[in-house]
Amino acid sequence: MYWRILKMSEECSHDCSSCGQECGDRSEPQSLLAQSNSDSHVKKVIGVVSGKGGVGKSMVTSLLASAMQKKGYNVAILDADITGPSIPRMFGLGGQKPTGTPNGLTPATAKNGTKVMSVNLLLPNETDPVVWRGPIIANTVTQFWTDVCWGDVDYLFVDMPPGTGDVPLNVFQSLPVEGIIVVTSPQELVAMIVEKAVKMAGLTKTPVMGLVENMAYFECPDCHKKHYIFGDSHINELAAKHGIEATAQLPIRPQLAAASDMGAIFDVDTQDWLNGLTDFIEKSHPVK
């Protein structure tokens, strides 16, 4: 209470961005966008979100980034899943550390050219837990934008933690997000939770660019018949309900898990699964 009274008694500095009071001088909404690093030239920022954990969001982020890299774009991943970072392992970056420059940190670079910044690249051991409170985690994500020298990047994918908490909100407000890709799985319960992520995007006026249904089916290697192990797909219903144009389905395939474990996710051929979505990103949010 004393702090609130002290703040209210101070003379107005006319810096509305640091003030929580309503007054006659506040005429326009204040931007919360954080300034990017002076050595960063990022053209498009795309968030990858999910309403809940366990749907393979980080794998989808990695596959999307790799698919865009194969199209000839300069691609990077900002791993905003601070307490559950898995991107470095998928790209075989174990042992690599970001390098320091006078202007900030330089991200690690995978064999396929994808740039990655993740808290796991900064820890002494990749299995060390990150036991931080929400505000520190959200601030770390912002610093990955302001203090990392990304260089020339066409598409920066932000792998967010599941849910609709501090980090997604901070990313929507602090980074110039063009739109988001929402990841789901076939269960009807998950479809309900996905709508929370879609509605959060609506509240922050962030466009939903696409919807990816992971673990959609298993294709028999002998007869090639598709088996919908987790139930019928709801992706078309969800997309139609929320006016989402681009969709994609990823199968259950042991090779995906193996490639992730071996740090070679970029070697997976995703043309049959993600071409429609990557073509949509390319056409609706061009960088050239």
Side-chain angles (χ1 to χ4, degrees):
M1 178 62 71
Y2 174 77
W3 179 85
R4 285 175 60 96
I5 295 173
L6 182 62
K7 287 292 289 183
M8 292 173 65
S9 67
E10 292 175 352
E11 292 185 8
C12 180
S13 64
H14 302 288
D15 179 11
C16 295
S17 64
S18 64
C19 177
Q21 302 300 316
E22 293 293 336
C23 68
D25 290 340
R26 185 190 291 273
S27 56
E28 302 238 348
Q30 299 299 306
S31 173
L32 297 176
L33 286 177
Q35 182 66 43
S36 65
N37 188 278
S38 59
D39 287 346
S40 295
H41 308 283
V42 179
K43 296 175 183 176
K44 304 291 180 182
V45 178
I46 298 173
V48 183
V49 308
S50 64
K52 69 179 296 298
V55 297
K57 171 187 49 57
S58 294
M59 177 180 286
V60 171
T61 302
S62 301
L63 292 173
L64 278 172
S66 299
M68 295 302 287
Q69 190 84 27
K70 290 172 184 175
K71 284 177 171 282
Y73 295 103
N74 295 322
V75 179
I77 299 177
L78 189 162
D79 189 357
D81 196 352
I82 301 298
T83 59
S86 54
I87 297 294
R89 170 66 71 91
M90 291 185 179
F91 281 87
L93 293 172
Q96 279 202 43
K97 298 294 182 184
T99 56
T101 74
N103 290 334
L105 289 174
T106 300
T109 303
K111 289 181 180 178
N112 73 327
T114 300
K115 298 177 181 179
V116 175
M117 176 53 70
S118 170
V119 74
N120 248 27
L121 298 173
L122 304 174
L123 298 174
N125 303 293
E126 68 173 5
T127 56
D128 289 346
V130 177
V131 188
W132 297 343
R133 294 191 182 276
I136 298 176
I137 292 174
N139 186 58
T140 300
V141 173
T142 303
Q143 285 187 290
F144 282 173
W145 175 251
T146 60
D147 296 353
V148 173
C149 307
W150 289 103
D152 292 321
V153 173
D154 295 318
Y155 292 100
L156 173 70
F157 290 91
V158 182
D159 182 39
M160 297 196 218
T164 55
D166 284 353
V167 172
L169 180 60
N170 191 59
V171 170
F172 290 153
Q173 292 180 330
S174 301
L175 274 62
V177 179
E178 289 275 324
I180 61 170
I181 306 294
V182 181
V183 182
T184 181
S185 57
Q187 301 99 314
E188 192 168 344
L189 173 63
V190 176
M192 179 271 290
I193 296 174
V194 162
E195 292 200 47
K196 294 180 181 290
V198 172
K199 290 179 179 179
M200 180 182 186
L203 290 173
T204 58
K205 302 189 184 330
T206 306
V208 180
M209 298 167 59
L211 186 61
V212 177
E213 187 175 61
N214 192 27
M215 300 176 284
Y217 58 88
F218 171 76
E219 184 175 344
C220 175
D222 297 323
C223 67
H224 301 291
K225 181 179 179 181
K226 292 182 179 179
H227 301 271
Y228 295 88
I229 295 173
F230 291 114
D232 295 334
S233 171
H234 297 282
I235 191 169
N236 292 329
E237 300 166 27
L238 271 173
K241 181 175 181 179
H242 296 286
I244 301 171
E245 294 185 51
T247 62
Q249 289 181 300
L250 296 179
I252 299 171
R253 186 165 289 188
Q255 292 89 332
L256 286 170
S260 298
D261 292 340
M262 292 188 300
I265 193 67
F266 43 81
D267 286 338
V268 176
D269 184 2
T270 61
Q271 286 189 1
D272 293 341
W273 313 325
L274 293 177
N275 256 11
L277 180 55
T278 54
D279 286 348
F280 177 81
I281 293 173
E282 195 175 26
K283 292 174 183 176
S284 61
H285 298 273
V287 296
K288 295 180 180 178

